[in-house]
Amino acid sequence: MDTLNLFFNLDIMERAFGLLLDGFWMTLLLCAIVLPAGLLGGLAVAVLTALHRPWLTRLLIVGVDVLRAVPPLVLLVFVYNVPPFAGYKISEFMAVLIALGLNSSSYYGEIFRAGVESVGRGSWEAARSTGLTWIQTMACVILPQAVRNVLPDLVSNTLEVVKLTSLGSVVALHELMYAARSAQQITFNYSPLILAVLMYFIVLWPLVRILSRLEHRQIAAR
């Protein structure tokens, strides 16, 4: 019974709910900014790579490789702690946005690039033969096919980005995990952490189901 109260104390969950709800809204706000920024950044990487400018391609490869090789936590700590040495104070919220935005852009960029490369050369040639410009061909013909080809990967990476928002607790950003840890330290009980897990589950479970359906549909189409 003591173990049950330590992890599933409904009274503590009820008292901590308001604090966790504030953190939950912050998590949603982070997702609402980081996900579009990451998608746009990744799309820009893929489009610029498709230009086939050797110097630009090499620069993008180096940048993407560095961002993918550096752990997101290390990147966040670097972004948050280094600017003050140059005389710039950066808020916890902005540090998380920058770190997760850069990290997600690198992964989305590789996914989009793979999608663009999966489109056959015939689609390019057919579109250009109708008089479409390179930009029109990319936007109207290539990208729709590329997104369809890598849609499961895009959804999967989106799941990871949402989960990475919990790293904000490292720099004391009042997101869901930080709120749960704070409530746990105040109450000396793990029930707020269990409540946080349930709240994450409510957000992520629909995406997990969507990803599962997309993967099964892609397998059936082969």
Side-chain angles (χ1 to χ4, degrees), residues 124-148:
W124 284 94
E125 295 172 353
R128 296 304 296 274
S129 68
T130 63
L132 294 179
T133 65
W134 188 93
I135 294 178
Q136 290 172 330
T137 300
M138 175 63 76
C140 301
V141 178
I142 304 304
L143 284 180
Q145 295 181 67
V147 170
R148 184 170 61 250

Side-chain angles (χ1 to χ4, degrees), residues 19 24 41 58 104 108 121 144 156 162 164 181 190 193 209:
L19 181 64
F24 180 73
R58 284 193 291 268
S104 62
Y108 279 128
R121 191 65 194 173
S156 178
V162 175
L164 282 176
R181 290 287 301 275
Y190 291 99
L193 294 176
R209 296 312 309 155

Side-chain angles (χ1 to χ4, degrees), residues 10-29:
L10 296 180
D11 181 57
I12 290 178
M13 285 184 176
E14 182 179 357
R15 286 188 282 126
F17 181 74
L19 181 64
L20 266 66
L21 187 60
D22 289 340
F24 180 73
W25 293 129
M26 175 60 73
T27 294
L28 291 184
L29 178 60

Side-chain angles (χ1 to χ4, degrees), residues 7-217:
F7 290 94
F8 295 98
N9 190 308
L10 296 180
D11 181 57
I12 290 178
M13 285 184 176
E14 182 179 357
R15 286 188 282 126
F17 181 74
L19 181 64
L20 266 66
L21 187 60
D22 289 340
F24 180 73
W25 293 129
M26 175 60 73
T27 294
L28 291 184
L29 178 60
L30 284 173
C31 293
I33 299 175
V34 170
L35 289 174
L39 284 167
L40 289 175
L43 191 58
V45 169
V47 171
L48 291 174
T49 301
L51 290 173
H52 299 298
R53 302 290 190 271
W55 65 271
L56 181 58
T57 300
R58 284 193 291 268
L59 184 64
L60 290 171
I61 289 174
V62 170
V64 168
D65 284 353
V66 169
L67 290 173
R68 293 179 69 196
V70 175
L73 177 58
V74 175
L75 182 60
L76 173 58
V77 172
F78 180 85
V79 170
Y80 182 67
N81 289 287
V82 171
F85 288 98
Y88 298 98
K89 173 62 178 176
I90 187 169
S91 68
E92 295 85 359
F93 183 75
M94 188 57 64
V96 175
L97 288 183
I98 294 173
L100 295 188
L102 290 173
N103 178 265
S104 62
S105 292
S106 65
Y107 281 93
Y108 279 128
E110 282 297 285
I111 293 171
F112 279 125
R113 182 189 61 77
V116 169
E117 292 181 353
S118 71
V119 179
R121 191 65 194 173
S123 294
W124 284 94
E125 295 172 353
R128 296 304 296 274
S129 68
T130 63
L132 294 179
T133 65
W134 188 93
I135 294 178
Q136 290 172 330
T137 300
M138 175 63 76
C140 301
V141 178
I142 304 304
L143 284 180
Q145 295 181 67
V147 170
R148 184 170 61 250
N149 291 343
V150 297
L151 192 55
D153 297 310
L154 290 173
V155 176
S156 178
N157 195 63
T158 298
L159 278 168
E160 294 304 315
V161 173
V162 175
K163 289 186 283 187
L164 282 176
T165 58
S166 61
L167 293 179
S169 60
V170 174
V171 293
L173 179 66
H174 190 80
E175 46 74 55
L176 181 54
M177 182 52 63
Y178 182 81
R181 290 287 301 275
S182 298
Q184 181 260 322
Q185 292 169 359
I186 293 172
T187 60
F188 299 100
N189 191 285
Y190 291 99
S191 298
L193 294 176
I194 301 300
L195 181 57
V197 170
L198 294 175
M199 295 173 81
Y200 276 119
F201 177 78
I202 291 172
V203 173
L204 295 177
W205 183 75
L207 287 176
V208 171
R209 296 312 309 155
I210 291 173
L211 175 61
S212 179
R213 289 192 176 189
L214 289 173
E215 289 174 339
H216 284 122
R217 185 179 301 175

